[in-house]
Amino acid sequence: MKHSLDRVLRVRRLLEDLSRLELQQRAAAKRQLEKGAQRQRRLALSVRGEALGILEGRAGEEAREWLLKIADADLFAWKGGKLDAMAEAERPMVEAARTAMLARRLDRRQMETLIAAAAAVEDKQGRRRVQSQVDEWFQSRTVRGRRTDQ
């Protein structure tokens, strides 16, 4: 019985490890999306700053360059917004993975408790068996001693 419980515990530990890995992967993907969105926002601000610098010069050819810079800034801002939306969409999946991992951990801990309780019961039964054998041995010895006395 102990071996089958140990196997079940090993499986539960593996499932918990898999859940933990999934949580780490989902959290890393969410962080990556958030970093990408932040990077796009910084690029948009930088390009807008360059566009404003060009606009201050206000030459004919530079006006076209200014429009390109503003278009680039808008594109970076749009990408940042999309990445933010993707990171927000990832949030429930991260929470679901966290909940699953915690459930697996609870399951494993319950199994460890069950195994410890089964081991304690088995140990107690073993001690009772040994004590019973010792009692029987002494009892049979006293019965043999009485027969020889008679």
Side-chain angles (χ1 to χ4, degrees), residues 78-145:
W78 177 80
K79 284 181 181 178
K82 283 298 212 182
L83 289 171
D84 277 335
M86 290 170 70
E88 190 62 35
E90 192 74 22
R91 185 166 285 134
M93 290 184 261
V94 170
E95 286 305 314
R98 178 176 286 119
T99 302
M101 192 269 304
L102 291 174
R104 296 284 189 194
R105 180 184 293 168
L106 177 64
D107 194 34
R108 177 191 48 87
R109 286 183 177 174
Q110 287 174 341
M111 182 53 67
E112 285 176 343
T113 303
L114 178 66
I115 289 173
V121 166
E122 202 172 289
D123 186 47
K124 189 174 183 179
Q125 287 174 345
R127 280 187 271 128
R128 283 183 181 167
R129 225 176 295 127
V130 168
Q131 185 61 46
S132 177
Q133 289 172 349
V134 169
D135 290 346
E136 286 175 11
W137 183 81
F138 274 110
Q139 190 176 22
S140 67
R141 188 171 176 203
T142 56
V143 169
R144 274 190 251 140

Side-chain angles (χ1 to χ4, degrees), residues 16-34 86-87 90-91 93-98 101:
E16 180 187 356
D17 290 343
L18 285 174
S19 294
R20 184 177 296 113
L21 287 174
E22 182 181 353
L23 172 62
Q24 289 172 350
Q25 287 174 342
R26 294 224 180 253
K30 182 177 154 277
R31 278 192 305 275
Q32 199 67 15
L33 289 169
E34 288 171 344
M86 290 170 70
E90 192 74 22
R91 185 166 285 134
M93 290 184 261
V94 170
E95 286 305 314
R98 178 176 286 119
M101 192 269 304

